[in-house]
Amino acid sequence: MHFTYLNPTNPATFKDRYVTKVAETIVPFSKERKGEVGLIGLPSSKSSISLSMAANAPSTIRKALNSFSTYAATQKHDFKNEGIVDFGDVPIHPTSVIETLDRLHISIQEMLQTDACDRYIMLGGDHGISFPSIHAFQKKYGTIGVIQWDAHHDVRNLEDGGRTNGTPFRSLLEEGIIKGEHLVQVGIRNYSNAQAYDQYAHDKGIHVYMMEDIEEHGILPIIDKELERLSNEVDFLYLSVDMDSVDQAHAPGCPAIGPGGFTSRELLSSIKKAAQHPKTKAMDIVEIDPSQDVRDMTSRLAAHVMMKFMYKV
């Protein structure tokens, strides 16, 4: 039977024949499918030291991609033919954080073994997902340089709570997966870290840029400087974007919101700069709690972060 207007199982959405939404370019992974960018959801937030529903962020960010078109007027280029290969979401263990981290690590390794894409985006989840993710990329591609947008060092001790969203970079350093001098932290804020962790970052040789450094020198010159340095020392680059690096006015949906962070424009311009480097291979986006967001502002900003990473001319 033919229905005039009834459209079972499909949403009643408007479609403009001339507009392609970013979400329309996402296709599920298959062995025959190749694409420019691979996408995987890592919906883990049980390791968060504050109450968080960041596990819901991958689906919310994907949904936000329905709000934006593939056409970039500045470049006079439509990216509608730039395919995004979606590997889906990794099922987390209902109770065990350690088992969840193992699942994330194995899943990213298996994704990379397909060689289906040139670059990859990991959607968290809390920042704890960066430990298994970066480890998997290091195994595949060699010496890794990391640029971390964050208000926090995320080098908390492992004795007080095990592996949490506050420990990923301490875990990576202690396991010898990355070197301190190959980790760059931008946007670290006052009153967001303990003195012991500031000292730990200094002792490990991490290149730390406080918000005061951003205010004095600007974010783009700092990114330029560190890209040039890292490119001579590492095999590839990984971007780790904690959305709480952004001022609470621009990203209200973070578990650890605070004033004095990046503007959305500063974040996007710096991501674009880092993503354009030929050695940049991967990016994760973490610490969005959709239940705390306002009109999906933070997820929409994350969608734009994805687009800055994906779309290069």
Side-chain angles (χ1 to χ4, degrees):
M1 180 178 180
H2 175 72
F3 294 115
T4 303
Y5 294 111
L6 294 179
N7 193 13
T9 74
N10 291 314
T13 54
F14 174 77
K15 175 61 181 172
D16 185 318
R17 71 188 68 184
Y18 297 113
V19 177
T20 302
K21 296 298 181 70
V22 177
E24 295 178 68
T25 68
I26 300 176
V27 294
F29 168 73
S30 67
K31 291 183 179 179
E32 298 76 28
R33 193 87 69 180
K34 300 290 182 180
E36 172 67 18
V37 176
L39 177 66
I40 189 170
L42 308 177
S44 170
S45 57
K46 290 183 182 296
S47 69
S48 180
I49 59 177
S50 56
L51 293 175
S52 172
M53 295 181 67
N56 294 333
S59 60
T60 307
I61 299 171
R62 284 188 180 92
K63 182 179 177 181
L65 293 171
N66 280 302
S67 300
F68 305 108
S69 79
T70 55
Y71 179 65
T74 304
Q75 296 134 317
K76 303 297 182 187
H77 186 84
D78 197 323
F79 293 93
K80 62 184 178 181
N81 295 319
E82 299 283 337
I84 304 169
V85 178
D86 197 340
F87 288 82
D89 289 354
V90 178
I92 65 169
H93 192 279
T95 58
S96 173
V97 170
I98 297 300
E99 172 65 21
T100 291
L101 294 176
D102 286 342
R103 291 184 182 189
L104 301 183
H105 180 71
I106 291 168
S107 298
I108 295 171
Q109 281 190 299
E110 291 176 343
M111 176 181 71
L112 297 180
Q113 287 168 2
T114 68
D115 291 318
C117 305
D118 295 323
R119 294 174 296 139
Y120 297 89
I121 297 173
M122 281 57 63
L123 298 179
D126 67 34
H127 217 155
I129 66 97
S130 294
F131 172 51
S133 178
I134 290 172
H135 190 192
F137 274 89
Q138 181 266 333
K139 283 183 175 180
K140 172 75 172 179
Y141 296 109
T143 305
I144 181 171
V146 180
I147 302 179
Q148 173 194 352
W149 284 256
D150 210 326
H152 312 93
H153 292 296
D154 285 353
V155 293
R156 289 177 182 267
N157 75 83
L158 297 169
E159 288 74 31
D160 288 334
R163 299 202 194 279
T164 69
N165 65 333
T167 67
F169 294 99
R170 191 183 195 104
S171 297
L172 290 163
L173 290 164
E174 298 296 330
E175 296 283 334
I177 297 164
I178 63 173
K179 297 180 180 179
E181 59 267 30
H182 294 160
L183 174 59
V184 177
Q185 299 180 332
V186 293
I188 302 298
R189 297 209 290 270
N190 285 330
Y191 316 117
S192 298
N193 299 276
Q195 182 178 3
Y197 302 135
D198 182 65
Q199 186 63 48
Y200 179 89
H202 179 270
D203 292 343
K204 290 294 183 179
I206 299 171
H207 287 231
V208 177
Y209 294 91
M210 305 291 294
M211 280 306 301
E212 283 79 358
D213 298 312
I214 308 300
E215 293 165 3
E216 182 175 353
H217 303 288
I219 183 60
L220 295 184
I222 289 172
I223 295 295
D224 264 332
K225 172 186 173 183
E226 290 298 337
L227 286 173
E228 182 177 2
R229 181 183 67 85
L230 286 173
S231 66
N232 294 318
E233 300 177 7
V234 302
D235 296 319
F236 77 103
L237 297 168
Y238 183 109
L239 315 180
S240 186
V241 185
D242 188 322
M243 293 298 291
D244 70 26
S245 64
V246 182
D247 192 283
Q248 61 189 10
H250 299 266
C254 297
I257 61 171
F262 291 116
T263 65
S264 58
R265 191 183 307 175
E266 286 174 321
L267 176 68
L268 293 173
S269 63
S270 58
I271 295 294
K272 177 182 177 182
K273 174 71 69 174
Q276 287 175 334
H277 195 280
K279 283 194 173 183
T280 298
K281 192 76 178 174
M283 176 179 69
D284 65 43
I285 304 173
V286 298
E287 297 295 345
I288 297 174
D289 183 345
S291 71
Q292 300 297 317
D293 211 357
V294 179
R295 296 192 64 189
D296 293 330
M297 284 173 58
T298 315
S299 291
R300 285 170 178 254
L301 178 55
H304 264 266
V305 169
M306 289 180 62
M307 290 149 61
K308 289 294 185 183
F309 180 86
M310 294 186 299
Y311 297 150
K312 304 185 298 178
V313 176

